[in-house]
Amino acid sequence: MVRQPGRSDTRPSRSGTPRAPLARQKPSGPGRIRSGRLWSALSGRSVAAQVFVLQVAIVLLLIVSAVLALVLQVEHDSSMEARNRSLAVAQTFADAPGTAAALRLPDPTTVLQPRAEAARRATGVDFIVVMNTDGIRYTHPKPDRIGKKFVGTIGPALAGGTVTEEVHGTIGELVQAVVPVRDANGKVVGLVSAGITTAHVGGIANQQLPLLLAAAAAALALATAGTALVSRRLLRQTHGLGPDEMTRMYEHHDAVLHSVREGVLIVGGDGRLMLANDEAQRLLDLPQDAEHRRVLDLGLDPETATLIASGRVATDEVHLVKDRLLAVNQRPIEVRGGPPGSVITLRDSTELRALSGRAEVARERLNMLYEAGVGIGTSLDVTRTAEELAELAVPRFADYAAVDLYEAVLKGEEPKPGDALRRVACTGIRKDAPLYPVGERFQFVPSSPQGRSLLSGESVVEPRLREAPGWRAQDVELAGQILEFGIHSLITVPLRAGNMVLGVANFCRSEKPAPFDTEELALAEELVARAAVSIDNARRYTREHSMAVTLQRSLLPRSLPAQSALDIAYRYLPAQSGVGGDWFDVLPLSGARVALVVGDVVGHGLHAAATMGRLRTAVHNFTALDLQPDELLGLLDELVSRIDQDETSEDDADTTAPISGATCLYAIYDPVSRRCTVARAGHPPPALVRPDGGVEFADVPAGPPLGLGGLPFETAELELAPGSSLVLYTDGLVEDRQRDIDEGLELLAGALESAADGTPDETCAAVLERLPARPSDDVALIVARTRALGADRIAEWQVPADPAAVSEVRSRVTRQLADWELDELSFTTELILSELVTNAIRHGRAPIGVRLLRDRTLICEVSDGSTTSPHLRYAASTDEGGRGLFLVAQMAERWGTRYTPAGKVIWAEQPLP
């Protein structure tokens, strides 16, 4: 800067004190760092300049030290290398074979000179000199030096030792070694000297020195750049402020420190108080001379004093100091490069604590309401919903909670005022509270809080039970036990769904000393209101479910018909939610045979149950025709198709859902032949338990589900040994959402194997033990253990197609009935068989057979090869015949016709006497 005449390079400040030179003033505007800071950084007065000079000096000192150290180390290493190499070469050449012998020759040079030169070139030394004991050379790299006196010390070598020395020889500064040459007797006969110049071993210093200098230059450049960056940072941190600005900043900081409404303490590393602002003085009630005294000697409460003196990190720790709650924060200073110590801030949180407590209570109540929305009513079960309400309230809201409902609500019905209540849920912090247990049935007296709540439909709060009148009339003894137990406050809230009161919820306190207040009453009413909606929904579901289950069970068989072919046990479990279309039946057939049927209508609800009833009725009707399983399934398939078409007609397509099919398995067991004919339509195969306990699933062709149409059904013939078990079931037994059907079939097989020795009823129980308590789908299970009709209870013979054979039939029947001690049935049986055999001879085709079966009834069967079925009719007075079947129908309890692959069988049953 050029100084103008008559002007000074300094300007006075507003206070009259001289300011810094203009060249170092902080210029205004963004360019102040570029203009003033560079000079400040290079000025000797600035910290940045001092740091810069010190840094450069240190780097230069390190560079010089490194160069000197390298040179000295290289010289030392070169000298040691020269000594070692020269000594090793000299010793090796002296001990080489032929060296001692060559010294005795008249002209040792001729032999030793070539060897010495070859060894010198091979070892890299500068010379190898062989001499006699007088020091006269025999060899030398320069031949003109041969025969001259050796320059060096040879005395110790003549005495048998070695000499290593640094000398100025004929070829320059070198290190040489002298060793003796001994003959076979150990006598010194000559000397060998090897030497190398230090210039040949010291060249490494010249190679490393340029690299070192380059590294030093790079270090110097980096140090200079780093120092410049540090200087720039110092300038940014101080913003180029002068003394006045720094003083004013201190004054401002001091004013803020002592006027802020937060206590600030600075404690040194030795535990002494260094600084305390006015707010800290007030909050802690510090003495006037508190600064520079130990914190532990200031009279603070021990807990707070220990925390401040410890210097440990603390965040919003609340300490009670006299009548104030102080939130204490403490951080160490040295972590930011400062001196040892810590800074502590204090905040009076007495009022904030009270506000935050109320906010915490409100937050907890909102949280309870949220949990009530998601945690109450998780199932459509009245009892479980009441338990969820009680479990939510304890212990967060009350110490004990109980829910009492009208008994009609538990059955799904609408309650009536005055009916008895039943306790369905009771939860508490202790199990020995003197309260009505779960399941207890009672009525509340009108003077009790519960009675008043039920009558008025309004909530009742008794903040102090001991002072409340009327409630002890419910049970004086129990009321005394309740007060003695410590229960002191009660809230009773009615469970209201619209205008209907379902029961009451009771909340009690014993451990919490504060009684219930109006805010807590509002919370209890909100909780109970949410639970009441869920309980009412569960009640409605219970009613609808009960109706559907009642309908479904009314459509299922209530008892099994009497028959002798099978020992049968069954189980039926409705689904957890809704009813399904699973069904089963046991139907006696002619000839002591029994039909077993299991089916499953797709879907759930009343519609599926009603459809199941229609199919079951159809099976009963089709069974009366005595059809084969595949034929019966074919008729059912057509029926389901027609039902589907009717349900999806245009008139009611919007109001009724289609059935979408059904599955069915139909089996006929004959105890005479011990054969079982089975056909299935989309249904799981039956399981067979052999008498030895083995289990297998019958290979029955899988037909399509009912309602699809278009494909025929196939049958399978199974021969069952007496004592075998035929197990029929629906898919709810072996398939659910947690496992597939293959895993279910394996579990079923394992259960059947474990219960193979038990009765059919025990087998059913063992299978159902592996199911969940409430399955997700209906389950129908039938276990039928086979029996065989013994040969002593069967009589059969062939009849020739001759009317004269009828008398022989009557005679044989009479004898057979006499053997069976059924003489009382001889007349009617002769008459029935006479008419049936006569009709077969006249109107049928051979072969003609007669079979008598003694079962629960006496069964008479006449078979022939014709497929024409006779019809019962009334004969006119002028007809000569036509009364045979009429007589048969009058004499027999039941009669009918069934078709076989070879013709037909006409049968008649008579009750045994």
Side-chain angles (χ1 to χ4, degrees), residues 134-329:
D134 296 328
I136 304 301
R137 301 186 183 104
Y138 289 144
T139 65
H140 197 276
K142 296 180 179 181
D144 58 341
R145 306 294 173 89
I146 297 175
K148 296 182 179 181
K149 186 72 173 180
F150 175 73
V151 180
T153 303
I154 62 174
L158 293 175
T162 61
V163 179
T164 303
E165 59 184 346
E166 297 180 7
V167 300
H168 182 77
T170 58
I171 58 176
E173 295 293 335
L174 55 86
V175 177
Q176 63 183 11
V178 181
V179 299
V181 179
R182 302 176 185 271
D183 59 6
N185 298 322
K187 180 181 178 182
V188 177
V189 296
L191 301 174
V192 175
S193 176
I196 184 171
T197 59
T198 55
H200 289 173
V201 297
I204 188 171
N206 297 329
Q207 298 174 6
Q208 294 181 350
L209 188 58
L211 180 61
L212 179 62
L213 292 176
L220 182 60
L222 291 175
T224 304
T227 304
L229 293 176
V230 171
S231 301
R232 289 176 63 86
R233 183 161 187 171
L234 287 175
L235 289 174
R236 285 196 301 270
Q237 291 177 346
T238 59
H239 299 286
L241 296 176
D244 295 340
E245 288 83 353
M246 295 294 291
T247 301
R248 188 163 57 250
M249 181 180 293
Y250 169 77
E251 293 173 350
H252 291 169
H253 288 179
D254 188 65
V256 171
L257 181 66
H258 291 285
S259 62
V260 70
R261 291 199 59 188
E262 185 168 336
V264 178
L265 300 174
I266 296 180
V267 178
D270 57 353
R272 296 181 180 274
L273 179 64
M274 307 303 297
L275 175 66
N277 68 347
D278 296 342
E279 184 68 9
Q281 295 274 357
R282 184 183 69 83
L283 294 176
L284 296 178
D285 195 16
L286 297 175
Q288 294 296 326
D289 59 345
E291 293 186 359
H292 304 294
R293 290 176 57 182
R294 293 179 58 84
V295 174
L296 298 176
D297 299 335
L298 296 179
L300 302 176
D301 67 284
E303 185 179 358
T304 305
T306 302
L307 170 63
I308 296 175
S310 67
R312 66 176 176 86
V313 176
T315 302
D316 288 335
E317 288 192 12
V318 179
H319 291 259
L320 179 62
V321 179
K322 296 184 178 179
D323 58 343
R324 295 187 180 95
L325 286 174
L326 300 183
V328 182
N329 290 274

Side-chain angles (χ1 to χ4, degrees), residues 371-408:
E371 293 186 7
V374 299
I376 297 178
T378 58
S379 64
L380 292 173
D381 184 86
V382 173
T383 301
R384 181 56 194 154
T385 305
E387 291 173 349
E388 290 170 346
L389 171 61
E391 292 169 359
L392 178 68
V394 176
R396 298 163 62 180
F397 175 69
D399 295 328
Y400 298 92
V403 179
D404 307 320
L405 298 177
Y406 286 110
E407 286 194 295

Side-chain angles (χ1 to χ4, degrees), residues 3 57 133 144 158 197 262 311 372 610 668 720 813 825 831 909:
R3 182 179 302 174
T133 55
D144 58 341
L158 293 175
T197 59
E262 185 168 336
I668 297 177
L720 306 179
V813 167
L825 300 177
L831 180 59
E909 292 183 3

Side-chain angles (χ1 to χ4, degrees), residues 418-433:
D419 289 350
L421 292 94
R422 187 177 296 276
R423 177 146 294 180
V424 295
C426 186
T427 304
I429 58 176
R430 292 173 57 181
K431 302 296 184 182
D432 56 344

Side-chain angles (χ1 to χ4, degrees), residues 13 27 45 160 248 312 342 454 485 509 539 687 708 723-724 727 755:
S13 65
R45 300 177 184 177
R248 188 163 57 250
R312 66 176 176 86
S342 58
L454 290 172
F485 186 77
R509 274 187 178 171
R539 179 191 67 82
L708 297 182
S724 302
V727 181

